[in-house]
Every structure is written in C-alpha cells, then in structure tokens.
Amino acid sequence: MISIGAAVASYGEVAFSAWGVLLMISACLCEGVRLVLTQKLLINLKFSALEGLYYNAPITACWMVFAATFLELPNMLRMHRNAIEYAAHTAVSATSLLAEAEGATGHMRVPVSPFSLVTENAWTFAAAAVLGVGVNVSTMLMIKYTGSVSLKLLATARNAGLVLYAVVLGGEATTVTQVVGYAICVVFFVAYVMHKAQAKN
C-alpha cells in the first residue's frame, strides 16, 4: 500500500517528467541492491556497523567521485579558471573578490573559485563530514537491528511527511492526487509500525 501511495503521488505530479521518473526508478533499484547487500553484511555475516561502513564507504566514494568527475568537476574548473583570469585582470586579492561577490545585492557579480569557498568555509565542510559519518553509522545500526525494509519504509514515510508539511504550512503547490498519495504512504507506514509493535508483544 505504501508503494501504491507513492505511485499515486508520482502520477499526480504537476511537472511530470518521464526522464525524472526513469532516474527515480533507477535510483530506487540501486538503493534496493545496496540495502540488501548491506543487510547481508550486517545480519547474515554478523558485521558491526563500523565494519559494514568499512566495506560500504570506499565503493560509495568511488561512484560519487566518478559521477562528480563528469557532472561537477568541469564546471568547477571553469569557474576556477574564470576567477583566476578575473583576479589577474583586475589585480585584486581573492578575499576582495569574495567580499565583492557577496555585496549588498546578494548576487554573484564577479567570478569566485569554488575551491576558495571550500578553504574559507573549512569548519562548515568539516562539520558536514562529521554529520555524514554519523548518519551513515546510524543507518548501518538501523539496518542491523530492524532490517533494510523498515529503513526504506521509514524513508518513504519521512519524504511523504515532509511533502505534506510543505503543503500545509509552506504553501507548496500540489494537486489533490499528490496529497492523497502521500497521505496513503504516511497512514500505512503508521499501520506497519503498529503491526510490528504488536507482533513483538
């Protein structure tokens, strides 16, 4: 029923895109394979959460670097090259560039290197990295003690809840079909949780 609710919500999408749906289905299939293999490591082979992360993280990092090499790195290098050329042309420091770029208008008026943004916000990136490790460890623990199906259902219900929150309190544009579909997801997730709790008792 949760899957049906997600399908109904997708059908009612205002800006429906076949390419977007194809990407979403591909992502779901890849995530399903990842969750099943992770569960095999943690439950069947009795790995700890950190041991599972030890095997999972390098593969994930390789695929992310591979994708970023084609999707993000060319644009970053172009922006970096433009920033260097602008700095050489105007003979101003990188700090002045950043200050001017973050002027009163709030718009980027001069090219800024994305690499300089990383170094100037090192603590923010470090905090994001630490939080990322925490999220991955907690994900491993949840798979180990509740199973990959529960994790996937929780993620689906969370996404549906966020959309309903955005519609009710944020004024997000949506259709009745979408709201019904997301409501089905949330209701049946609650029913699933209650059934699991009763089964344990």
Side-chain angles (χ1 to χ4, degrees):
M1 287 303 297
I2 293 176
S3 299
I4 292 174
V8 170
S10 299
Y11 179 76
E13 172 61 40
V14 177
F16 182 83
S17 167
W19 174 243
V21 171
L22 179 62
L23 290 177
M24 181 189 70
I25 292 173
S26 300
C28 287
L29 289 174
C30 291
E31 185 182 15
V33 171
R34 181 184 69 86
L35 290 175
V36 169
L37 293 177
T38 301
Q39 180 171 308
K40 181 176 176 61
L41 284 176
L42 298 176
I43 298 178
N44 294 12
L45 300 179
K46 301 188 184 306
F47 280 25
S48 69
L50 290 179
E51 286 175 324
L53 200 58
Y54 175 81
Y55 285 95
N56 199 337
I59 300 171
T60 304
C62 286
W63 279 106
M64 291 180 68
V65 169
F66 176 77
T69 300
F70 295 99
L71 300 177
E72 296 184 12
L73 186 60
N75 189 45
M76 292 176 66
L77 292 175
R78 180 182 56 78
M79 293 172 63
H80 180 67
R81 185 168 53 251
N82 291 343
I84 291 176
E85 291 174 357
Y86 183 87
H89 180 70
T90 57
V92 295
S93 66
T95 304
S96 300
L97 274 175
L98 186 59
E100 184 179 349
E102 296 175 347
T105 60
H107 299 291
M108 298 293 283
R109 295 180 295 175
V110 296
V112 177
S113 170
F115 300 105
S116 68
L117 295 177
V118 173
T119 56
E120 290 162 10
N121 299 279
W123 285 108
T124 303
F125 280 91
V130 171
L131 290 174
V133 172
V135 168
N136 280 285
V137 171
S138 63
T139 299
M140 292 289 178
L141 289 171
M142 184 165 183
I143 293 174
K144 184 174 179 65
Y145 293 109
T146 65
S148 57
V149 174
S150 295
L151 178 66
K152 186 60 181 172
L153 291 176
L154 178 62
T156 303
R158 177 204 62 197
N159 294 338
L162 286 174
V163 171
L164 292 176
Y165 174 83
V167 170
V168 174
L169 298 179
E172 186 77 20
T174 187
T175 63
V176 176
T177 306
Q178 277 184 295
V179 173
V180 170
Y182 287 125
I184 291 172
C185 289
V186 173
V187 168
F188 279 93
F189 175 74
V190 172
Y192 170 79
V193 171
M194 293 177 64
H195 174 73
K196 291 279 285 186
Q198 289 177 354
K200 284 185 178 180
N201 293 333

